[in-house]
Amino acid sequence: MENGLSIELACPFEPIVASCAVLDPICHRSVPLSGAYGLFFVSRGVLRIRTRTRQIELSGGEALLLRGSTAEQVSLTAEAEAEYYHLRFRLTSRGSSAGTPLLEVPDRARVCPPERLTDLLRRYLELERRPNYSRLSLYNLLVLILCELARSAAPRAGDQNAEPTLEIIASRVDACIAAHYRRAIGTLDIARELHYNPDYLERAYRQERGISIREAIHRRRIREARAQLLLCGDSRIAEIAALCGYNDTSYFRRVFKRVTSMTPNRFRAEATVRS
Amino acid sequence: MIDSSSLPFEVVTSIEALNSGLFVSPGYGTHATRVIDSYELIFVSQGSLDMFEEGCTYHLERNQTLILYPGRRHGGSLPYAPDANFYWVHFLVREGSGGESVVQVPKVATVPDPEFLTELFCRFISDQESGTLDPLSAAHMVTLMLCEVSEADEVPLSSLSAGGSDNQGSTLARMVRSYIDANYRRPITTSSIARELVYNADYLERVYHRQIGVSILDAVHLKRIAAARALLRSEGRKNINEVAFSVGYADPGYFRRMFKRLTGLTPKQFRSLYSRTHINTH
């Protein structure tokens, strides 16, 4: 019985483009969706996505799924250098029968851990670049990617029993910083909020991210300050400093200079000239 | 809070995945003789395996796969080799759901990209063990596995090219390939390979690039990073620097950059992604 197996499978799908790119804060990029689906996943930095009706800010580990109506354009700008993956595809509908399983995919999700999605997206890019790539493989990989987004939306209660790894602890600190950096927060406040000993938390964070929590807060604030300087050409530096959690403007100037090697005014002047 | 709505997708598949595992040879015993009511895909990741199905025997080497049918008697034709490891997955195929694509899975195949197949199995088994595997992902992972097996090269490379000069090119490319496979742990370069094989480096580079589609140096990196992926998955005790050294990088920083460029992940992230795997020995 020397025979193989032959299986008929549906493949209601047409790949359009797939890429991984780094976007400089000064650059803009626009993507035509024109009736297709567009999936964006940010692996590093912050990406701002503007459609006709909304503006969305995606940070590292977040994914966005858009369905373009006819001839819709999406424009991308980055805060710091954002590394992101982008897939565009079309689904060809077949006469569907009742009882076809439906996969509910959230249009926006935080993937945890993000490596699970990075790994699949990287495979998608590799498969697509093979000389005679199989559309069926690509389609199956796409469904896996969508399943990954669907499960990100529904965190399981059972997962909380597991001992959190340093990476999870560091991610919680990052999330806490992202939520509160506009206020006057410090390492102690974060430790209290997350119920950890401050010294342990500091050690764990430094081991995982290579910087102190204090420094991470500064970097998050300065990232926001850069975006504000680019967006709001006429606000005063003091206003921007206050918006980013610094009550003392001269302290803000010093930190900004240290992190970006430029003064806020110089940064704004250069950005304005270039755009 | 994230404002979020959801998009519904219709997903049609005729495959239903059951369970999967990694079998590690206990060094004695033989695969049980049995009849099961599902298909089984076997993928030998180490050593060799000798099976039979309804009177036909199959000798499988590393990186080879075998498809077993429901309702047919199968079992081990020889005792387990002491170093044998294989992945297995059981699945069902629903008839009549139809579709525009056909996947042809050979009975026995040598897979072209064993890393990808291994990682699919690892992902499947890890999700299965943590209780987070949903039926839709499972079905599509198995379909991807079958697609990979269906792309296997059953025909030897040499018989594919017709012209005489092309034949020479593919022979040369294969020589480079096997030289890299044997020597990637040492500090080799395009010119050192050319010297060893006694060819002009530019000529060798041109021929290799035309045949394989990547430069010789990139082929060395791809080989090293593939070896590193395998080490990171299996050797939990080696630290990242040791992994770098054992696949031919003297500079761990350079290794990390290369790994990130080729896989999108840092070595550490990759290890944590593939660290959990269920093993059975019976």
Side-chain angles (χ1 to χ4, degrees), chain A residues 10 92 115 118-119 199 222 231-232 235-236 240 249 260:
Chain A
T92 50
E115 296 86 59
T118 312
D119 192 42
D199 290 338
I222 297 305
L231 284 177
C232 322
S235 349
R236 292 173 47 232
I240 289 172
T249 311
T260 68

Side-chain angles (χ1 to χ4, degrees), chain A residues 3-5 7-9 11 91 96 101 103-105 107 116 119 122-123 130 134 137 140 147 151, chain B residues 5-7 9-11 14 69 100-101 103 105 107 119 123 127 132 137 140 147 151 229 261 274:
Chain A
N3 52 353
L5 174 61
I7 310 168
E8 281 189 9
L9 289 159
C11 186
L91 293 181
S96 62
L103 178 62
E104 290 280 336
V105 183
D107 66 348
R116 285 182 62 93
D119 192 42
R122 189 53 72 138
R123 280 294 176 189
R130 281 188 192 171
S134 138
S137 296
N140 277 277
C147 285
R151 73 189 248 166
Chain B
S5 56
S6 68
L7 302 172
F9 289 89
E10 278 185 357
V11 185
S14 34
Y69 274 69
E100 62 270 42
S101 297
V103 55
V105 189
K107 186 78 186 167
E119 284 165 21
R123 186 180 268 261
D127 286 1
T132 53
S137 302
H140 287 83
C147 287
E151 282 179 24
R229 292 166 88 117
R261 206 187 86 195
Y274 286 108

Side-chain angles (χ1 to χ4, degrees), chain B residues 93-114:
Chain B
V93 178
R94 274 191 294 274
E95 299 293 327
S97 58
E100 62 270 42
S101 297
V102 176
V103 55
Q104 297 275 4
V105 189
K107 186 78 186 167
V108 175
T110 306
V111 293
D113 185 356

